Amino acid sequence: MPIYVNNCRGRDHVTYFGPDAFFDLNITGKQAEMAKNLQPGTECIVASYSANNNAHVVFRWYIFSHESIDSDPHTPDTQVRVFRGTESKLKRKRISKLQAAKMKPYSAFFNVLGHFKRPSVIP
């Protein structure tokens, strides 16, 4: 079963943390309890808005390898857990948000109104 992670704020993990980074969570607060103890080989689906087009979503699939602790580039005093792995480019999909909200497995990211769910990691 894949892990669903919501990057609808468009953080550029590769620029911030390096070429194998695909997501990050704070090490304190609510996010500290999310996606703990991921095992290498776990599939992760990352949802992001398409560049300059919030009507479309890009879903990228990654194979998790490990996590690291790094400083958040916007608030250097804040530490984050950075998820690292390899993208499965064959599974990358760009579709309209309207379609995605009705299509498995992507519908897990959306509420009944077709809006992104708020959590960073979707249970």
Side-chain angles (χ1 to χ4, degrees):
M1 172 159 257
I3 301 296
Y4 301 93
V5 293
N6 179 347
N7 186 35
C8 66
R9 292 191 178 168
R11 284 177 62 88
D12 185 350
H13 296 93
V14 170
T15 297
Y16 298 159
F17 305 112
D20 64 343
F22 64 88
F23 198 67
D24 69 296
L25 293 168
N26 291 331
I27 63 168
T28 59
K30 287 182 183 181
Q31 290 187 350
E33 298 304 313
M34 296 178 176
K36 291 172 65 172
N37 303 315
L38 289 183
Q39 298 299 311
T42 301
E43 277 191 313
C44 300
I45 305 172
V46 180
S48 305
Y49 282 114
S50 185
N52 302 317
N53 185 347
N54 285 356
H56 286 83
V57 180
V58 176
F59 296 95
R60 289 181 172 87
W61 294 62
Y62 293 86
I63 303 300
F64 176 82
S65 65
H66 66 286
E67 69 178 55
S68 63
I69 304 295
D70 289 282
S71 295
D72 186 308
H74 297 293
T75 52
D77 293 338
T78 301
Q79 298 281 292
V80 293
R81 295 168 41 216
V82 179
F83 292 8
R84 299 182 179 279
T86 306
E87 182 180 1
S88 175
K89 293 189 191 294
L90 295 175
K91 289 188 173 183
R92 183 186 295 181
K93 186 172 283 279
R94 180 187 179 272
I95 54 178
S96 76
K97 188 176 165 189
L98 185 62
Q99 284 180 296
K102 298 175 186 174
M103 180 187 298
K104 291 200 180 284
Y106 309 117
S107 59
F109 285 98
F110 302 95
N111 65 22
V112 295
L113 299 175
H115 303 296
F116 269 112
K117 291 179 180 175
R118 297 276 181 202
S120 299
V121 178
I122 311 298

